[in-house]
Amino acid sequence: CVTEEQLSKLTEISRYISEVANMPPYGLQPYVGVSAFSHKGGLHASGIAKVEASYQHIPPERVGNIKRVVISELSGRSNILHKLEELGLSNLVPKEEAPKILDMIKIQESKGFQYEGAEASFELMVRRLLPNYAPSFELIDYMVIIEKDRRSSSSDDDGILSEATVKVRVGSEVVHTIAEGNGPVNALDNALRKSLIQFYPSIESIRLVDFKVRVVDQGTGTGAIVRVLIESMDGEKIWSTVGSSGNIIEASWFALADSLEYYLNNHKI
């Protein structure tokens, strides 16, 4: 017989197994998935704010999970207010700001961003509206080089070199680093981490567990806007970020930078 205490560890055990198996947790999994208790429409958000059981088959706490109010173009004022409370920002952002945040979401989504599966980027977007918000680092510039060496003959070497140069400001210091990687995005990630690790050693625990690219406006061919979704993990928590641009490297940068900034902001490092 399973006790209530054992049942409350179900989500934790599921994520531990995913970690051991080196597989990203399946978000749509019943009960333990991050989307198992998600609410998207404004009516749902308003309903659970009044009576949680109205749109949930069981209390998510029974299986160690939590409810989530998803932010998207379908969001209403209730979604925004609930999300701000969930993120601990309701005391910093007045209720009157909810329509302004909704308008910003619509503007960003018109550019290809989508916050339904990237709540970490949404939190950062709201925090950046606060007058006293100070980012952990600021980008000055970056450059990515991809070179094909036709002379390479090694069977385990495709002859493609990816190298990224990143220049960021941390406090009053400017750091300029270069790193190689298995592809341009990996090189960019390595260079950014190399820049920051001397200031924030704990970022070494962060690893990318999923990377997705979606074409936003498919009718424009190779000139289409792309959306990059990144899922990161530090061994305990999973968070998702988004970037969008007509340039896949820039879209990847937005998502990568948000991932690290979110981690640093929440760990108060």
Side-chain angles (χ1 to χ4, degrees), residues 1-14 30-32 37 57-66:
C1 180
V2 179
T3 66
E4 286 293 321
E5 183 180 358
Q6 291 172 326
L7 190 63
S8 68
K9 297 184 182 297
L10 188 63
T11 300
E12 179 184 346
I13 292 171
S14 173
Y31 295 101
V32 297
F37 298 93
H57 44 301
I58 65 166
E61 295 79 12
R62 285 195 64 193
V63 290
N65 209 337
I66 59 173

Side-chain angles (χ1 to χ4, degrees), residues 60-184:
E61 295 79 12
R62 285 195 64 193
V63 290
N65 209 337
I66 59 173
K67 68 176 179 291
R68 294 170 63 243
V69 173
V70 176
I71 301 298
S72 74
E73 76 283 355
L74 298 180
S75 297
R77 184 172 177 271
S78 297
N79 295 60
I80 299 297
L81 295 177
H82 186 282
K83 202 65 186 175
L84 292 176
E85 183 177 355
E86 183 180 299
L87 296 173
L89 297 173
S90 56
N91 61 326
L92 300 176
V93 182
K95 293 183 179 180
E96 296 74 23
E97 292 292 303
K100 179 180 177 181
I101 295 173
L102 276 173
D103 289 340
M104 183 173 292
I105 290 171
K106 292 175 181 178
I107 291 172
Q108 288 296 91
E109 291 197 346
S110 71
K111 298 176 181 178
F113 289 82
Q114 188 178 69
Y115 298 101
E116 180 177 339
E119 294 183 350
S121 287
F122 169 76
E123 179 177 335
L124 284 174
M125 182 184 71
V126 174
R127 287 189 179 276
R128 287 165 183 157
L129 294 174
L130 302 177
N132 59 344
Y133 179 73
S136 304
F137 62 92
E138 296 178 74
L139 171 69
I140 297 176
D141 62 45
Y142 67 81
M143 179 173 64
V144 179
I145 298 173
I146 304 173
E147 180 182 1
K148 171 69 175 177
D149 186 357
R150 297 180 179 274
R151 296 171 297 177
S152 178
S153 58
S154 173
S155 59
D156 59 352
D157 183 2
D158 58 11
I160 297 178
L161 170 68
S162 297
E163 182 180 273
T165 302
V166 170
K167 187 185 293 186
V168 295
R169 179 181 290 107
V170 181
S172 60
E173 293 190 48
V174 174
V175 186
H176 190 185
T177 58
I178 300 174
E180 296 182 356
N182 182 24

Side-chain angles (χ1 to χ4, degrees), residues 214-233:
R214 298 286 185 268
V215 176
V216 177
D217 49 348
Q218 299 182 10
T220 55
T222 54
I225 292 175
V226 296
R227 179 187 302 128
V228 171
L229 292 163
I230 287 179
E231 194 170 86
S232 305
M233 188 175 187

